[in-house]
């Protein structure tokens, strides 16, 4: 695949996987790759279809196949793997990149498979709840475990998450940091606090930020859905909910460089943090291994369950403009290392490596 090739790349339209996939495909264009983007799960929005259509090296296929984390049992995921393997053969692609190892559990593909471990229920459970997993998590984890062993190569978005996967599954993925291009037109800095993500996800630990919001004197705004696709949800008392925002609306909110806070208990990478850093926001983050890996020296860290600690740190930053500006500059500088171009360069190297391995 030296000089490019044809990839089949699976994705879903819910959450950060879509953003990761479209950013990566754009950045792969200079490397000579054509990409068939096979989208699974809920239907795309018209805006997402338009976004994919505008990417010159992308051919979009909406498969209607079920997502592993939304399916009621393993059978539809095994069937989805069979369909994707058939597509790979029909298209004669050079390699397949899957957004979850669960889609290579049977090893049916006619070409090398790179499995991305963006997240998984077993490592989520370990970080958020602990103890024995429920039965509907067990079959999902079993598919991921099988896929980790069948894939030609496995990639995780951070070394910290790769280590969490090793502890759970006995397989150590290679780490390739995610990247994001997120232009923001800076405005005058304003005193408010911001967070973003899947607010309904218990792993985002929004309740701690809601408690912190009750203890500070400035607005604390939260962007993202309050209800998940399987009925999970959260009610807010002090955070100001903005609902889901598209990229342009998010950029407008970040332009005034609010203090950005995340109390996440579980975060394989954290695209929302990266977007805030690119905007020059000072970062106030939970002290978890992923955030330490990515942002140590460029953020302030608080224990993830310490609502009062978050409130104190917010007040200190808001009361010290010079430190707030300095921390925003540090975050922005660090964010410059996490670009789609860098991600694409690393991934192109992996595509070439797995193809050489098959040819040898």
């Amino acid at each position: 695949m030296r000089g490019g090739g044809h990839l089949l790349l699976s994705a879903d339209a819910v959450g950060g996987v879509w953003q990761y996939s479209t950013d990566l495909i754009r950045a792969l264009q200079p490397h000579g790759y054509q990409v068939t983007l096979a989208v699974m799960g809920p239907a795309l929005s018209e805006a997402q279809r338009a976004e994919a259509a505008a990417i010159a090296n992308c051919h979009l296929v909406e498969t209607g196949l079920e997502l592993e984390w939304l399916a009621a049992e393993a059978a539809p995921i095994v069937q989805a793997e069979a369909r994707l393997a058939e597509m790979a053969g029909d298209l004669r692609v050079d390699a397949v990149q899957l957004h979850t190892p669960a889609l290579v559990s049977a090893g049916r593909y006619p070409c090398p498979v790179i499995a991305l471990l963006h997240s998984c229920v077993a490592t989520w459970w370990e970080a958020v709840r602990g103890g024995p997993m429920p039965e509907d998590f067990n079959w999902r984890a079993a598919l991921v475990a099988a896929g980790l062993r069948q894939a030609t190569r496995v990639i995780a978005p951070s070394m910290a998450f790769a280590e969490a996967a090793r502890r759970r599954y006995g397989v150590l993925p290679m780490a390739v940091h995610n990247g994001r291009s997120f232009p923001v037109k800076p405005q005058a800095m304003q005193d408010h606090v911001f967070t973003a993500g899947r607010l309904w996800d218990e792993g985002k630990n929004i309740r701690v930020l809601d408690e912190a919001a009750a203890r500070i004197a400035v607005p604390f705004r939260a962007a993202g859905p309050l209800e998940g696709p399987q009925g999970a949800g959260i009610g807010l008392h002090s955070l100001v909910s903005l609902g889901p925002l598209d990229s342009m609306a998010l950029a407008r909110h970040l332009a005034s460089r609010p203090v950005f806070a995340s109390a996440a208990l579980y975060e394989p990478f954290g695209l929302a943090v990266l977007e805030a850093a690119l905007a020059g926001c000072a970062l106030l983050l939970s002290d978890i291994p992923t955030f330490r890996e990515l942002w140590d020296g460029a953020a302030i860290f608080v224990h993830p369950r310490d609502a009062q600690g978050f409130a104190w740190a917010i007040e200190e930053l808001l009361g010290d403009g010079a430190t707030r500006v300095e921390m925003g500059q540090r975050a922005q500088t660090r964010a410059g290392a996490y670009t789609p171009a860098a991600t694409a360069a690393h991934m192109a190297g992996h595509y070439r490596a797995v193809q050489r391995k098959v040819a040898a």
Side-chain angles (χ1 to χ4, degrees):
M1 289 168 61
R2 190 177 302 277
H6 186 185
L7 307 175
L8 174 63
L9 192 151
S10 76
D12 70 60
V14 184
V17 173
W18 172 261
Q19 195 64 67
Y20 166 87
S21 301
T22 51
D23 281 348
L24 175 64
I25 294 169
R26 288 188 196 93
L28 284 172
Q29 191 170 357
H31 296 273
Y33 289 97
Q34 295 295 316
V35 181
T36 297
L37 178 60
V39 179
M40 302 172 60
L44 295 173
S45 67
E46 288 304 318
Q48 287 171 318
R49 292 189 182 101
E51 181 181 8
I55 303 173
N57 60 325
C58 177
H59 173 65
L60 176 66
V61 178
E62 295 186 59
T63 67
L65 298 170
E66 287 198 53
L67 293 172
E68 166 255 328
W69 60 282
L70 292 179
E73 58 182 357
I77 309 309
V78 175
Q79 293 165 7
E81 176 180 347
R83 176 64 189 120
L84 291 171
E86 182 181 26
M87 286 179 63
D90 290 345
L91 295 169
R92 298 183 179 181
V93 298
D94 297 294
V96 172
Q97 178 175 314
L98 300 170
H99 68 281
T100 169
L103 291 168
V104 65
S105 65
R108 302 181 178 189
Y109 294 86
C111 60
V113 174
I114 293 179
L116 269 288
L117 190 65
H118 289 288
S119 66
C120 77
V121 294
T123 52
W124 181 96
W125 186 268
E126 181 180 277
V128 177
R129 299 267 187 95
M133 289 192 302
E135 182 55 37
D136 68 325
F137 277 32
N138 285 328
W139 68 258
R140 291 177 169 88
L143 286 180
V144 169
L148 288 171
R149 289 167 173 79
Q150 290 282 359
T152 314
R153 187 162 292 194
V154 183
I155 305 294
S158 64
M159 292 181 285
F161 185 53
E163 178 58 27
R166 185 201 62 76
R167 289 195 306 270
R168 179 61 180 80
Y169 297 108
V171 174
L172 181 65
M174 299 179 180
V176 175
H177 290 146
N178 290 347
R180 184 78 171 97
S181 176
F182 190 70
V184 176
K185 185 178 181 181
Q187 299 176 0
M189 194 163 64
Q190 297 179 12
D191 286 346
H192 62 113
V193 189
F194 196 82
T195 193
R198 297 186 305 276
L199 306 183
W200 54 268
D201 181 348
E202 193 178 342
K204 302 300 182 187
N205 203 24
I206 293 300
R207 294 194 188 281
V208 164
L209 296 184
D210 199 33
E211 291 179 32
R215 305 179 188 192
I216 62 176
V218 300
F220 194 153
R221 301 182 176 97
L226 295 174
E227 296 182 357
Q230 290 180 307
I234 187 172
L236 302 180
H237 301 287
S238 299
L239 286 169
V240 179
S241 174
L242 302 175
L245 300 179
D246 62 22
S247 293
M248 292 181 63
L250 182 62
R252 287 194 294 271
H253 280 277
L254 293 176
S256 58
R257 288 167 290 160
V259 172
F260 184 91
S262 172
L265 297 165
Y266 177 78
E267 194 64 88
F269 183 82
L271 278 175
V273 178
L274 176 54
E275 289 168 339
L278 287 166
C281 299
L283 302 179
L284 182 57
L285 306 177
S286 54
D287 196 353
I288 60 175
T290 298
F291 287 159
R292 280 287 181 180
E293 174 188 333
L294 299 172
W295 303 106
D296 199 17
I300 294 169
F301 296 93
V302 179
H303 190 282
R305 299 192 187 274
D306 186 0
Q308 183 61 64
F310 272 95
W312 282 337
I314 288 166
E315 294 287 8
E316 286 185 6
L317 273 173
L318 293 175
D320 185 347
T323 297
R324 181 178 168 190
V325 169
E326 179 189 354
M327 293 307 297
Q329 290 172 341
R330 289 189 189 184
Q332 195 169 48
T333 299
R334 181 68 56 79
Y338 307 133
T339 65
T343 303
H346 285 295
M347 292 308 300
H350 286 299
Y351 305 148
R352 291 191 295 269
V354 296
Q355 186 66 12
R356 286 196 301 268
K357 183 177 179 180
V358 170

